[in-house]
Amino acid sequence: MHQRSLKTIRVILALLFIIATGFILIDFRGLFPTSLITGITFLQFIPSVLKFVSNISLVATGFIIVLLLTAFFGRVYCSAICPLGIFQDVLSWIRKKTRKKHRYRFGKPYHWWRYGFLALPFIILLTGKSLIGISLLDPYSIFGRIFSDLFQPVYLWLNNRLAGILESMNIFFLYPEDITPARGLTYIIPVFMFGLIIWFSFTRGRLYCNTVCPVGTLLGLLSRISVFRISMIEEQCTKCGKCAIACKASCISVKTLEVDFSRCVGCYNCISVCPEDAIKYLLAAGSVNAPEPAVLSGSATPSGPVDPARREALTKMLATGVALSGFSLPALSQETEIENKVPTEIEPDKNFPVTPPGSLGIKHFTTRCTACHLCVSACPTAVLQPSIKEFGWSGIMQPHMDYSSNYCNFECIICSEVCPSGAILSLTEQGKKTTQLGQVQLILENCVVYAENTACGSCSEHCPTQAVKMVPYKGDLTLPEIVPEICVGCGACEFACPVTPFKAIYVDGHQIHQVAQEPEIEELEQPDMEEEFPF
Amino acid sequence: MKRRDFFRKGLGAGIAAGSAMAISPYGKLFAGGAAAVAYDLVAVKGGEPGTMFDQAIQSMGGIEKYVKRGQKVVIKPNLGWDTTPERAANTNPELMARIVEHCLAAGAKDVYVFDNTINEWTRCYKNSGIEKAVKDAGGKVLSGKSKGSYHEIAVEGGRSLKKVQVHELILESDVFINVPVLKSHGGTVLSISMKNLMGVVWDRRWWHANNLHQCIADVTTVVKPDLNVVDAYRVLKKNGPRGVSVSDVVTMKSLIITEDMVAADTAAAKLFGKDPNQIGHIRIADEMGLGSMDLSKLNINRIMI
């Protein structure tokens, strides 16, 4: 095989990876089975490492494959597997098509930046604070947030337009789906990173991957000593410089005939442009064993109790502004016209945010979640929303169960099935139904039945276990009563409660998830079929 | 379903129901499947969901009385919950399929089915078995979750409810068949045909905080089904409207069909074992003259299979 075909193979692989990864991050119809989704994210380096830390098993060995690939062939990950890397290539390609051809040239490495950004997340982690450095810099998670937070709403908007057109033609192949905008502040990080990526890829090729990306730098340390490296053959080289012009990593010095393989992202453009076959993979003399990467450890404590009531007003208003200017989003739900005659007065006292089922508790979740938002995209009810400071600022962007947006569907376990980092561990449907994320609390004084003597029962109606049930009250009225032991903390009651500004029923999250007791079962007498109608 | 099959089954029902059931075989022959006596309400017991509907609609005068060739029909089941048919939180899928078949056999142009579900809608449609049953029968299944499909109408006769956003299929269709499932309900005691109309409305949450029973009655002044089919094959006796497990369900193998929602709900409440007077919206609707709770004034056909 001629090495020139390496580029073709790389491009095919890259397209497969970016299309598949991008699609699972914007899909809202659950078109891919979860096993396929797990396969697509299997090789993502940081999530795989984190999953391995919490659960040493075959499904978490993706990063080992990446390390082996790197030890043999350099940073194959960066051009063929990493969706953010491929995304930059796509952006550069678009730029090339729209403006004059861009010429790259050799540049010196920015060592301080590189190793600074590699060390920083570990310092933050090891000083016992948080995963924030890793989650903000992990390329897969950055890509995830750009696609999930910014592109999914656009995809939904396009889908809804198209579905509307098809429906008017009496075709129901597509269906419209509500767009649930996240709070405005949560758009700042993905928008900033998207901007940075566009700027870097338009002007400096893969500068991002060689200065900011800690995965790139880490794999670069290994590729420096890999078995095969791209090198220049002095006898054949005419110093025409075509390879350097094609090198988006700016790592080929024609003057010295050297390739800085630690910065090479493995795109193979140089091999394919060289007219003399003077640059190619060669067996490196004196290659040594690959060093083990530092294993992640440490713990994060979410700082302080959270005050979710305060954030409400400001943030939702900002929702459309930042990222989606130009689009008018439809009203977010049918729940906008809530009116109780007397405003409720008692504010729910929430001690902890609620983490998704399978995440074991706040500590496990916040120390493993890189905030890639794959679960946010996959969640069919949009109850999973990026947090701002629910977990403290150090957990920004990590999703939490937002019961003002929606509630967790009792029978659904999709977030636990797709999570690539082990932050949300796999649950069975039965296991989910007995996992208690938090416990129901009732403020009877806020309840519309109690305060205004009118029938409601919305909370009990939504409750899958009858942890809130309606018991006889005045006349024909029924009043909610809670049985916290059988509550799963799904938030259906809180979401459904119609009173404002404060709910009469809410879920207070558990620091560590508990086991919910199963509801009591009492057999009913079957009716007599022979009996006449009672009318 | 062929009209001949209809006929045969109708005849069979007549025989089975005995001499008390005044179905004239001559009338049927001449009317081509329509019964001679027009009943106000038909109650059937002891059959499978589809069979019970065959007999009930036959006795009501045949589906042709309601559905004319080329018409657009909307059938509104209760399919608000992500539960299986055995849990009886949603309308029986076999019954839904049979109603769709009848409508298409009568020459309906399109038969649509939707609900503004409470649980996540794609899961409700799938796990209730209704989406598949309706599609296999030739009906069209639509999302009830796009706000743009709901249009505000005034509720002139409403006491609490003055305006309401109703799904365009209900507003635009020629025929509206309401197919609730009879079940217990934590907030309104029972959920039957009037309560089922909350699933054609968008801004229903407001109702909960503004005299729910009155709102349920008010909406029936403007949203009037042509026919109500109460599914009481499996009945959720407690923990409704969602239920906790199959142990909340009893098998009643019954069905009630009538044009009058108040009568439907009165009869169904009695079948359930509740006093209809204890259910606010039934009582209010009767008071407002929206239907009749007095079943003794109605011509009722009771069929035991």
Side-chain angles (χ1 to χ4, degrees):
Chain A
M1 185 187 74
H2 198 281
Q3 286 196 9
R4 274 184 194 166
S5 50
L6 279 174
K7 183 188 169 183
T8 314
I9 296 169
R10 185 267 297 176
V11 170
I12 292 168
L13 275 175
L15 286 174
L16 278 175
F17 267 100
I18 194 169
I19 290 168
T21 316
F23 182 74
I24 59 175
L25 283 156
I26 60 170
D27 180 37
F28 63 96
R29 299 180 67 165
L31 290 176
F32 282 5
T34 48
S35 52
L36 181 57
I37 296 177
T38 318
I40 291 167
T41 57
F42 172 69
L43 289 173
Q44 294 311 327
F45 192 80
I46 296 279
S48 171
V49 170
L50 287 165
K51 195 168 201 166
F52 193 76
V53 172
S54 50
N55 180 18
I56 298 174
S57 67
L58 274 183
V59 293
T61 51
F63 78 100
I64 296 175
I65 295 174
V66 172
L67 287 176
L68 284 173
L69 266 176
T70 314
F72 277 91
F73 303 107
R75 292 163 58 181
V76 176
Y77 174 79
C78 300
S79 277
I81 300 167
C82 173
L84 193 71
I86 305 164
F87 189 47
Q88 293 174 70
D89 289 350
V90 172
L91 292 171
S92 306
W93 182 83
I94 291 170
R95 187 200 171 279
K96 225 161 57 179
K97 291 286 157 193
T98 51
R99 283 198 258 161
K100 75 174 172 58
K101 212 158 178 96
H102 191 73
R103 294 156 67 99
Y104 299 111
R105 56 193 167 87
F106 177 76
K108 286 210 172 80
Y110 299 93
H111 284 309
W112 276 103
W113 286 105
R114 287 171 89 183
Y115 297 115
F117 275 118
L118 177 62
L120 188 70
F122 288 96
I123 292 167
I124 297 174
L125 188 68
L126 294 174
T127 50
K129 287 296 174 200
S130 132
L131 204 62
I132 186 168
I134 291 171
S135 68
L136 290 186
L137 293 173
D138 167 40
Y140 160 74
S141 300
I142 292 169
F143 179 84
R145 289 189 292 265
I146 292 172
F147 270 62
S148 173
D149 302 358
L150 309 182
F151 291 3
Q152 194 187 41
V154 176
Y155 176 66
L156 281 167
W157 182 83
L158 290 170
N159 169 79
N160 293 354
R161 288 291 166 281
L162 191 59
I165 294 166
L166 290 176
E167 271 183 17
S168 65
M169 295 155 72
N170 221 7
I171 300 168
F172 304 99
F173 172 68
L174 295 178
Y175 57 77
E177 177 81 3
D178 274 341
I179 303 172
T180 310
R183 289 166 292 161
L185 284 175
T186 65
Y187 289 107
I188 291 177
I189 289 173
V191 166
F192 175 78
M193 291 312 292
F194 188 32
L196 191 72
I197 291 296
I198 293 176
W199 179 46
F200 273 2
S201 57
F202 271 32
T203 56
R204 302 288 298 271
R206 292 292 201 97
L207 184 65
Y208 178 84
C209 308
N210 283 323
T211 47
V212 184
C213 182
V215 178
T217 306
L218 185 73
L219 296 180
L221 288 173
L222 184 55
S223 68
R224 198 183 281 274
I225 50 163
S226 66
V227 178
F228 296 96
R229 288 171 222 164
I230 292 173
S231 317
M232 298 166 90
I233 304 161
E234 204 177 337
E235 305 82 59
Q236 278 161 258
C237 177
T238 59
K239 295 202 172 187
C240 69
K242 281 183 177 166
C243 53
I245 289 168
C247 179
K248 53 198 170 201
S250 302
C251 69
I252 302 172
S253 167
V254 180
K255 208 183 285 176
T256 60
L257 292 185
E258 274 172 358
V259 178
D260 177 359
F261 201 53
S262 77
R263 284 190 289 149
C264 169
V265 292
C267 73
Y268 313 129
N269 287 353
C270 53
I271 300 177
S272 75
V273 296
C274 180
E276 312 294 335
D277 272 347
I279 185 162
K280 59 167 76 170
Y281 262 122
L282 295 172
L283 187 64
S287 61
V288 287
N289 290 336
E292 281 296 308
V295 174
L296 304 175
S297 63
S299 63
T301 22
S303 57
V306 174
D307 179 11
R310 239 188 322 181
R311 68 191 189 210
E312 279 289 302
L314 242 179
T315 48
K316 284 238 166 171
M317 282 195 299
L318 296 169
T320 51
V322 192
L324 302 164
S325 51
F327 290 114
S328 64
L329 295 170
L332 82 136
S333 74
Q334 66 211 74
E335 322 301 346
T336 45
E337 290 192 56
I338 310 160
E339 274 179 39
N340 42 304
K341 292 177 192 77
V342 187
T344 53
E345 283 176 357
I346 305 171
E347 190 176 349
D349 179 24
K350 294 190 180 187
N351 293 302
F352 296 104
V354 184
T355 59
S359 63
L360 304 183
I362 293 171
K363 188 169 170 182
H364 175 94
F365 181 68
T366 54
T367 52
R368 289 178 179 71
C369 172
T370 61
C372 73
H373 293 181
L374 181 57
C375 59
V376 175
S377 289
C379 176
T381 67
V383 65
L384 274 171
Q385 290 286 324
S387 67
I388 296 173
K389 59 185 194 66
E390 280 77 7
F391 300 115
W393 286 111
S394 66
I396 188 165
M397 302 311 283
Q398 289 176 332
H400 73 120
M401 304 288 272
D402 181 1
Y403 296 147
S404 65
S405 293
N406 214 323
Y407 61 95
C408 181
N409 203 306
F410 192 52
E411 326 275 334
C412 176
I413 49 170
I414 195 157
C415 58
S416 84
E417 287 180 319
V418 300
C419 178
S421 74
I424 313 176
L425 295 171
S426 184
L427 273 179
T428 61
E429 217 172 275
Q430 197 47 43
K432 192 253 167 125
K433 287 177 180 176
T434 52
T435 301
Q436 188 176 71
L437 314 176
Q439 265 191 354
V440 61
Q441 309 284 333
L442 179 66
I443 307 170
L444 206 53
E445 293 81 356
N446 286 355
C447 176
V448 71
V449 183
Y450 183 88
E452 296 180 23
N453 285 315
T454 177
C456 181
S458 201
C459 52
S460 171
E461 184 174 325
H462 284 69
C463 180
T465 63
Q466 291 302 295
V468 50
K469 56 182 181 181
M470 301 307 286
V471 296
Y473 184 52
K474 293 177 196 165
D476 298 342
L477 292 177
T478 53
L479 202 60
E481 184 181 273
I482 55 172
V483 192
E485 309 84 73
I486 60 171
C487 173
V488 292
C490 71
C493 55
E494 178 175 341
F495 174 73
C497 180
V499 295
T500 52
F502 303 117
K503 301 270 180 176
I505 193 161
Y506 65 96
V507 172
D508 189 8
H510 281 319
Q511 258 183 307
I512 296 171
H513 293 177
Q514 308 286 319
V515 176
Q517 287 176 21
E518 295 204 33
E520 271 179 46
I521 285 176
E522 157 199 354
E523 288 302 323
L524 294 167
E525 205 181 313
Q526 293 294 328
D528 177 10
M529 277 299 133
E530 303 302 314
E531 207 173 295
E532 293 286 320
F533 287 103
F535 50 83
Chain B
M1 159 141 325
K2 289 201 177 83
R3 189 166 290 189
R4 200 168 43 235
D5 296 339
F6 254 91
F7 179 73
R8 205 181 299 132
K9 279 182 178 152
L11 195 62
I15 294 162
S19 55
M21 307 297 110
I23 299 175
S24 152
Y26 296 106
K28 239 182 321 190
L29 275 177
F30 290 116
V37 179
Y39 290 107
D40 300 313
L41 186 148
V42 178
V44 192
K45 194 171 188 179
E48 290 306 296
T51 327
M52 289 197 293
F53 180 73
D54 292 343
Q55 301 205 4
I57 193 68
Q58 174 71 29
S59 182
M60 286 296 286
I63 193 78
E64 296 81 0
K65 189 171 151 192
Y66 301 96
V67 179
K68 304 279 183 280
R69 188 158 296 280
Q71 283 188 324
K72 180 172 169 180
V73 180
V74 60
I75 306 176
K76 159 68 174 77
N78 189 327
L79 85 93
W81 306 98
D82 178 13
T83 57
T84 56
E86 295 72 31
R87 293 272 302 273
N90 302 315
T91 301
N92 188 296
E94 286 172 53
L95 174 63
M96 285 304 294
R98 190 61 63 92
I99 300 174
V100 172
E101 284 167 8
H102 275 256
C103 293
L104 290 171
K109 184 165 156 279
D110 281 309
V111 180
Y112 297 95
V113 171
F114 83 100
D115 190 7
N116 182 359
T117 63
I118 301 184
N119 287 159
E120 197 277 316
W121 76 274
T122 57
R123 295 185 60 102
C124 295
Y125 278 36
K126 185 161 164 266
N127 296 333
S128 66
I130 291 180
E131 179 171 23
K132 185 176 187 308
V134 167
K135 280 185 176 169
D136 289 352
K140 290 192 161 79
V141 175
L142 263 72
S143 160
K145 283 293 175 194
S146 29
K147 191 179 189 302
S149 304
Y150 292 80
H151 306 289
E152 188 166 294
I153 56 170
V155 186
E156 304 270 333
R159 291 178 185 170
S160 181
L161 200 63
K162 296 294 176 197
K163 55 185 172 47
V164 63
Q165 292 163 348
V166 177
H167 198 279
E168 58 196 16
L169 275 176
I170 301 294
L171 301 173
E172 291 164 8
S173 291
D174 303 308
V175 184
F176 169 24
I177 303 177
N178 186 24
V179 193
V181 62
L182 168 64
K183 57 179 174 174
S184 75
H185 193 286
T188 60
V189 188
L190 292 181
S191 169
I192 323 172
S193 55
M194 281 192 265
K195 180 75 175 69
N196 194 37
L197 296 185
M198 286 185 82
V200 305
V201 168
W202 184 259
D203 47 353
R204 60 189 173 195
R205 184 183 274 201
W206 186 85
W207 298 19
H208 276 274
N210 292 275
N211 198 347
L212 181 58
H213 283 293
Q214 184 63 55
C215 290
I216 294 172
D218 284 347
V219 85
T220 66
T221 62
V222 286
V223 179
K224 292 179 182 295
D226 297 288
L227 189 64
N228 301 283
V229 184
V230 182
D231 167 26
Y233 186 78
R234 294 191 192 91
V235 176
L236 184 62
K237 286 290 277 188
K238 60 186 187 99
N239 292 332
R242 188 189 202 275
V244 173
S245 71
V246 283
S247 59
D248 296 335
V249 178
V250 297
T251 308
M252 281 193 170
K253 293 198 174 183
S254 302
L255 183 133
I256 291 165
I257 182 167
T258 173
E259 293 169 27
D260 180 341
M261 277 202 281
V262 182
D265 290 5
T266 306
K270 287 184 171 174
L271 186 67
F272 189 93
K274 290 273 182 200
D275 177 3
N277 283 299
Q278 299 297 311
I279 298 157
H281 59 271
I282 304 182
R283 199 177 56 227
I284 295 167
D286 179 74
E287 267 169 35
M288 289 171 77
L290 298 163
S292 172
M293 278 179 79
D294 187 358
L295 300 183
S296 65
K297 294 214 176 91
L298 302 182
N299 187 8
I300 300 179
N301 187 9
R302 300 170 182 82
I303 303 172
M304 303 283 278
I305 297 177

